[in-house]
Amino acid sequence: MTIASPAPPASNPASWLNNQPYLLLSLSSLFWAGNIVLARHVGAHVPPLTVTTIRWFGVFLILLPFSWPHLKRDWPALRKSLPLMLFLSLVGFAFNNAISYWALQYTEALNALLIQSAGPLFVALWSLVLFGVRLTGGQLAGIAISLIGVLIIILRGDLAALASISFNRGDIMFASSLVAFGLYSAFIPRRPKVHQLSFLSFTTCCGALMLLPTAIWEAWRGNVIQFDAVTLATLGYILIFPSTLAYLFFNRGVALIGPNRAAPFFHLVPVFGSAMAILLLGEKLRPFHLIGYALVLAGVVIASRQGSAAT
């Protein structure tokens, strides 16, 4: 009598996703695109510094039950790298997010998406200046191609319209958030070798504590958060998607393929933003959308499949 061998165990979807850098980085861009559109929509309704503080305290509390065993095990490594961890908390969580939410009270989503397209350049610049990691020819070509695609989408096929765009203090503030996040991205491969949940729990908690005095100052000036339906819905989206999931996915993606290869995925943010406008706001799909999408995707594929070079 022949005894059938047991069937192989079903693969764990979470383990599979954890090793798909291109999908992880694409999902991060999708969640961040929704964050920009939503933040601009409710910008005058929610205090930016208070919301950012609640955002990171909330993420920390969501993760804590799952991250606590990892935090206890990884604490010696975290403590040994405390200056770097505090620096990453500042540039990647406290400053970056607070200033971008604040900026969206003064600028349009169009301008924010346009400035967002410069994200890969800031990552490449910091990686070169700090660690001598330069872009390969393929990465540079991919970034350039995807950037052209972004401009076609945002400018609705009329590149001459770029000359008519004016920038204000909100645009400068939003650009500074990208400078900070580029710095964060360049340092991610140098972070201590700890579990993802340990890293994100520690940095979100530190980022929230750094922001707490600014939230108190904001409330003292009379800009107090109102917990109505709009605020609660906004916080629900922010806590789950662009905060908890997007950062877990982004950090893992950078760990797998490096900052320069991951950077072009920033160009998917305006692609997803325009797609949301088509699907949710009733905008019509036009030829320039398809041309722009094709160029962005081609550029991302070219850049993300090239290795980094060292100076």
Side-chain angles (χ1 to χ4, degrees):
M1 179 178 179
T2 303
I3 300 175
S5 60
S11 60
N12 184 339
S15 297
W16 175 84
L17 179 62
N18 199 45
N19 290 289
Q20 306 299 318
Y22 306 128
L23 179 57
L24 291 170
L25 293 166
S26 298
L27 289 172
S28 296
S29 296
L30 174 63
F31 299 153
W32 283 329
N35 188 46
I36 290 177
V37 174
L38 179 63
R40 175 56 188 163
H41 180 67
V42 301
H45 185 81
V46 293
L49 302 177
T50 303
V51 166
T52 312
T53 306
I54 294 174
R55 172 183 184 177
W56 296 129
F57 269 131
V59 172
F60 171 70
L61 294 175
I62 289 172
L63 293 177
L64 187 59
F66 308 99
S67 65
W68 182 245
H70 304 292
L71 279 169
K72 290 194 296 183
R73 185 195 65 212
D74 293 335
W75 174 242
L78 293 170
R79 183 175 57 188
K80 184 178 179 181
S81 301
L82 188 59
L84 174 61
M85 293 298 296
L86 292 176
F87 176 74
L88 292 174
S89 301
L90 175 64
V91 297
F93 295 86
F95 178 82
N96 164 52
N97 287 270
I99 203 71
S100 62
Y101 280 141
W102 199 354
L104 285 166
Q105 293 192 345
Y106 301 102
T107 190
E108 299 294 330
L110 173 66
N111 285 36
L113 290 169
L114 179 61
I115 297 168
Q116 180 81 36
S117 66
L121 303 179
F122 290 122
V123 176
L125 178 62
W126 284 122
S127 296
L128 174 63
V129 170
L130 296 173
F131 306 114
V133 179
R134 59 181 175 82
L135 292 171
T136 65
Q139 289 173 342
L140 184 59
I143 289 175
I145 292 170
S146 59
L147 179 58
I148 292 172
V150 167
L151 293 176
I152 288 174
I153 294 168
I154 293 176
L155 302 176
R156 309 181 70 82
D158 181 12
L159 295 181
L162 187 62
S164 65
I165 292 180
S166 59
F167 295 96
N168 56 32
R169 62 173 175 171
D171 301 317
I172 297 173
M173 293 164 66
F174 196 86
S176 70
S177 75
L178 285 180
V179 173
F181 197 74
L183 193 56
Y184 170 84
S185 302
F187 270 97
I188 280 294
R190 273 87 182 166
R191 72 178 191 177
K193 303 301 182 183
V194 298
H195 195 276
Q196 283 195 83
L197 292 177
S198 299
F199 177 80
L200 192 57
S201 295
F202 186 91
T203 48
T204 53
C205 182
C206 292
L209 291 173
M210 292 174 181
L211 286 166
L212 185 58
T214 69
I216 295 173
W217 170 79
E218 193 172 53
W220 176 74
R221 295 192 62 193
N223 199 1
V224 181
I225 191 168
Q226 302 294 325
F227 288 100
D228 53 20
V230 174
T231 301
L232 293 175
T234 300
L235 288 174
Y237 176 82
I238 288 173
L239 287 174
I240 296 172
F241 294 101
S243 304
T244 305
L245 294 180
Y247 271 82
L248 282 172
F249 292 175
F250 179 79
N251 290 343
R252 178 59 178 167
V254 172
L256 289 173
I257 66 173
N260 276 347
R261 292 174 64 195
F265 284 83
F266 283 123
H267 285 161
L268 292 179
V269 173
V271 168
F272 287 132
S274 67
M276 287 177 185
I278 292 170
L279 295 175
L280 303 178
L281 303 179
E283 289 193 8
K284 293 182 179 181
L285 181 64
R286 302 187 183 278
F288 67 80
H289 287 116
L290 299 177
I291 295 171
Y293 294 161
L295 287 172
V296 170
L297 292 176
V300 168
V301 169
I302 292 170
S304 63
R305 294 189 179 278
Q306 300 292 324
S308 297
T311 56

